[in-house]
Amino acid sequence: MHGDFSRRTFDAADHYRAVLLQQGRVLLDADVNEQADITTHHDEVRTRDIVGRSGGPAPSGDEPGPFAIVGPSATAANRWRFRDEAWTALRLTPGRYSVDGVLAESDGAPAGGWPLARQPYLPPISEAERTGGLAEPSTDGRYAAYLDVWQRQVTFDDDPLLLESALGGPDTTTRSQTVWQVRLEPIANNAVRCSDLHALAAAGRTARRLVASLAEPEDEANPCEISATGGYQRLENQLYRVQVHHEPDPTAPQPQPGTFLFSRDNGSVVAGIAELTLDGATAVLTLDRLGRDDELSFREGQLVEVTSADRELRGLPGFLAHTAAPTGADLPITWLGTPPVAPAEEAELGSHPIVRRWEGGPIPIGAAAVDLEDGIQVAFPAGGTLRTGDHWLIPARTVREVYGLTALSGTIEWPTTADVPPVPLPQPPVGPQHHLTPLAILSRSGGTWSLESDCRLLFPALTELVAIDEVGGDGQEAMPGDPLPEPLRVAVRSGGRPVVGARVQFTASHGGVLSAESRTPAPGGPSVLVVGTDAAGVADVRWMLAPGTPVRPNPATQRVTARRLDDHDQPIDAAVIFTGRLSIASQVAWQPPDCARFAGTRTVQQALEAIIDRRELRLLGGDGQVVRERGTVVPRPVRVVLDDGCGPVEKVLVIAKPESGRVAGAVEGEPTPDSLEGRPGVDDAVPTGPDGVASFWWQPQEFDEAGTAVLDLLLDGAGEASIRVTAQLDPPGGGGSNLTEGLNIHRLVFRTPNPTTFENDDTIGANELATGIQVVLDGPVVPDTVQGKPVVRVELDLPWPIGADGDAWKSPVPIGTQRVTLDATLDVSRDSIIWTPQEGTSTWLTQVLFELLEPMGLKTITGWFVLEGWAIVAQKNPRWHVNCHANTVVVNASQRTLIDLPTDDTVAGGQFLQWFRLQRVVERQRRDVPPVVGRTAAVAQRELETAGFRVSVVTAPDPLVRKGIVIRTVPEPGTSLAPASTVEVVVSSGRL
């Protein structure tokens, strides 16, 4: 902060609780300010421990909550998502949000929230920006919206009310203000989700450090002259400030090292600019004051910076100039730079412009020590990044009292080692400390914006941590007319403690009967009952299923929904759902079907009448599917089969009854339709085929509070639903759901003694290829679909034409390539497919191929690895194949195109293809996989990436390891791998 301070003494490592005054002592500004820093530190640490790294209060009603990015089409019904909105229509909702324990408050917003383009702490600073502060990105793609929170100093130049008018004008104190901005960063990797952004924000940036030291005095050439003493040599105590003015720009055609300024008064010599008169390379500043005295004022020959709070909020440097002699309140200046860097207009400074005095600069940033003045030196060791505004404070003292003795020379207060002599330690900037957290992932397409994922973390108040849970009675079965053997029980708790007297409403479906207080339900009783919780916070009811008329030996399923009520009898919280099954299996002794009974039937009607008491409708598939949004067709058909114990029954109508949405008959093998709207032949009744199967496409529209939609399937003429299937709505921020199922490719590995990862766009050696390739999947495949079939192969592009072909085509040199497939065998081993070249192929690769290529001047040829996933069948399910779709990532440093493994389920089967460059021999540097088991997923990923590996994260249940902790890595820690190899990190998802 640019204040007139003596020094800053707070250090969290001291663990100080308070500053205590002693009688009769001098009270310094540093003591009072340290108490403020201690209180702030305790508050931020406590908030972070309670809230987490970031989070905000969850809204109590149908509101989006704090710092939500919304558009006109966003509503509570669609979970505040929006699509195809203009940039100027996007809004930021008001509220409170904590980042690293720092509270960001967005209040005073206009109706609908702050425009994203015109935020309160992102003001326009020129006439060209009067319509917006945050510029819209010009290219389509995915963008991360980050909330950036930090503190800035507010003086009376920014807020005149800080001056006490009774004092006649002198300033007293300043204020530390929390400010925030929402800004966008492009996302190049399509696999990035909210959890990745949170991990990146938590890691933060590595700031470049500064070392401050004192120069050694030079030996005088004349022995008769008194030698200069070492240390700080000024006659006044000062607080030096070193601040980055222009941050380094490594992307410039000629990389710029950046520059810094320094002030011996913490940059506190400031004056407000009442008027600015521009005249080319010069200007005249009309100031509201010249200074308090001769020392703290503006005079001729000084370095000044013309800036404003608006420019500092934007992270923009001010304009540098040298001063001429002031005339009254007018201060003539000459802009610095070649050509001079000057504002084009006064409006370019923004509101409340000021001029600040510096003692030196701009000085290039570098690792070599630079003299500031009077014995003080600074250096910037390599490593890390710098930003405009990063600054360090160096207290300089002319005399130092140590145990009652006065030091003979001045010194500076700077951390050092315990060595003799001590060595100064590099220190990060003291500010500004920016705290970032992701709010959302937005996508821009065709100039309009959509919300892809909401990344905010919202939490209820402690007094609202009331939850209702099922504690017994689900999944029971009873005979018609008999109650279920055990009551249905729910518990209402607040933070784990029972809530007494909470009112819970139980609602039975299908006309079921409920009763309370352990009374046996009687026919004709209520199907809706409200019960209060007891001293243990438990409410229970007895349930008698509706009798129904089942048409098969299997039971029909019914439901009871339990909801907590408020004091206005309105349902709150999520619903608890109990299921019960109606059993009739014990009423009629089952007899083996007499298939001969039906041999003489001549019509479908006669057959139906003969087997109606034997037929059974069973689910084949399609239950529990996930859809991305309302109105989306489920990825796979819902399929049922009808048989009678003697075989399939055809030409019997199956009725589909969705609670919402549309259904239509599905044809075997057809792709998933985008919509059933306008589809010809949409029908809720489909006859069973020759195999007894009926298939439906389902497009659910409405979902309950738990995100579930229901579809009932029954035979024509049956009174009750025989089969019930559900579909789930993908929750916001979930990153999408798998649209198909199957096995996925996790990695390719050469079968060398130290296995090496084989990746796309890789340069490999013939010695590696000759060892074979192992394709690691996430499940076993049917060996007969691999062995002896051309489903995995390696192809090489050999030069063409050569030899006789060259003579025939009259080409003395190759003009193209011809592709050949290498002879090899394929084997299956657990979850892997192994490609092994024939013995003659291996010999030709390592001993013959490049001997033939070298006379042609060829040292490298292109090769292709091909896997036909559509033809390889999984053991788990004969309808599953090896899915081959994956996103690609371009690595800027190497310009390589990498495939982001594992493959995903977006497309079933397909062809997996990756290319490589083949050389005679490739010597690979290797690194050991670091031990990350037991660490959090974010920490493990950061350590592996720092070690130079790519990371693939998968989850697996583990009852002994809490969610989010690494269970194992593949390969295991200590394995030697080539740089950029992929390491699979298996993270616990908790209990099953």
Side-chain angles (χ1 to χ4, degrees), residues 591-656:
Q591 299 293 331
D594 182 6
C595 299
R597 286 178 54 198
F598 316 127
T601 57
R602 298 183 178 180
T603 67
V604 172
Q605 183 61 33
Q606 289 174 331
L608 289 176
E609 292 173 356
I611 66 173
I612 190 69
D613 59 335
R614 303 287 189 188
R615 64 187 180 180
E616 181 179 2
L617 189 67
R618 295 179 289 107
L619 180 66
L620 283 185
D623 187 23
Q625 299 185 72
V626 178
V627 295
R628 292 185 183 276
E629 56 188 22
R630 291 173 173 82
T632 301
V633 179
V634 293
R636 300 178 306 281
V638 179
R639 304 173 69 248
V640 293
V641 62
L642 178 66
D643 60 39
D644 62 358
C646 298
V649 180
E650 63 175 317
K651 298 182 181 178
V652 177
L653 284 180
V654 177
I655 310 299

Side-chain angles (χ1 to χ4, degrees), residues 81-403:
R81 291 178 179 266
F82 59 85
R83 298 180 64 87
D84 302 329
E85 299 286 6
W87 172 256
T88 54
L90 302 187
R91 294 290 187 272
L92 193 69
T93 59
R96 301 180 303 279
Y97 207 84
S98 294
V99 188
D100 288 331
V102 181
L103 178 63
E105 296 181 286
S106 171
D107 45 21
W114 293 103
L116 190 59
R118 299 194 66 185
Q119 304 167 32
Y121 297 110
L122 195 58
I125 57 172
S126 68
E127 293 296 335
E129 284 193 343
R130 289 304 174 191
T131 58
L134 180 62
E136 177 182 10
S138 58
T139 58
D140 287 351
R142 302 171 74 229
Y143 290 86
Y146 282 100
L147 176 63
D148 184 4
V149 182
W150 74 99
Q151 274 81 41
R152 68 158 181 166
Q153 184 183 28
V154 176
T155 68
F156 71 91
D157 287 306
D158 307 301
D159 185 1
L161 292 179
L162 296 183
L163 289 177
E164 171 55 67
S165 58
L167 296 179
D171 66 318
T172 54
T173 59
T174 66
R175 300 292 185 269
S176 175
Q177 181 187 45
T178 302
V179 295
W180 56 266
Q181 292 174 2
V182 175
R183 53 186 179 84
L184 303 186
E185 294 289 342
I187 302 176
N189 187 348
N190 288 333
V192 168
R193 298 291 183 263
C194 287
S195 59
D196 304 305
L197 299 181
H198 278 287
L200 288 172
R205 73 171 175 124
T206 301
R208 193 167 177 176
R209 299 184 173 230
L210 177 138
V211 174
S213 59
L214 292 172
E216 293 294 332
E218 296 182 0
D219 294 334
E220 294 292 344
N222 188 345
C224 297
E225 294 182 1
I226 299 176
S227 300
T229 61
Y232 173 59
Q233 298 170 15
R234 287 187 65 85
L235 301 179
E236 295 180 355
N237 298 321
Q238 305 288 353
L239 178 61
Y240 280 83
R241 182 188 189 94
V242 176
Q243 180 167 312
V244 176
H245 184 243
H246 270 290
E247 61 190 51
D249 184 7
T251 64
Q254 294 183 347
Q256 302 298 315
T259 59
F260 71 90
L261 310 172
F262 76 87
S263 165
R264 68 175 72 100
D265 300 299
N266 191 28
S268 63
V269 180
V270 175
I273 300 176
E275 184 179 352
L276 171 63
T277 304
L278 296 170
D279 185 14
T282 63
V284 176
L285 310 177
T286 301
L287 307 182
D288 62 358
R289 61 191 184 277
L290 286 178
R292 292 186 300 180
D293 52 38
D294 289 342
E295 184 63 28
L296 300 176
S297 63
F298 293 92
R299 299 193 301 270
E300 182 179 3
Q302 294 175 330
L303 173 69
V304 295
E305 179 186 19
V306 178
T307 185
S308 68
D310 290 352
R311 291 189 66 86
E312 292 176 353
L313 283 170
R314 289 298 200 93
L316 298 175
F319 302 96
L320 298 181
H322 280 142
T323 60
T327 303
D330 292 339
L331 180 65
I333 60 174
T334 301
W335 303 110
L336 294 185
T338 306
V341 180
E345 56 181 0
E346 185 176 355
E348 194 173 344
L349 295 178
S351 59
H352 304 294
I354 60 171
V355 58
R356 173 172 288 113
R357 192 185 78 183
W358 297 93
E359 269 61 62
I363 302 170
I365 294 172
V370 175
D371 291 324
L372 296 188
E373 63 176 15
D374 297 310
I376 299 178
Q377 294 180 330
V378 296
F380 295 83
T385 59
L386 290 174
R387 292 175 180 166
T388 295
D390 286 347
H391 61 272
W392 295 258
L393 299 179
I394 309 172
R397 298 297 181 256
T398 58
V399 176
R400 185 175 185 178
E401 296 286 345
V402 181
Y403 299 108

Side-chain angles (χ1 to χ4, degrees), residues 973-991:
T975 303
S976 180
L977 296 178
S981 297
T982 299
V983 177
E984 185 177 272
V985 177
V986 184
V987 179
S988 172
S989 59
R991 296 180 180 271

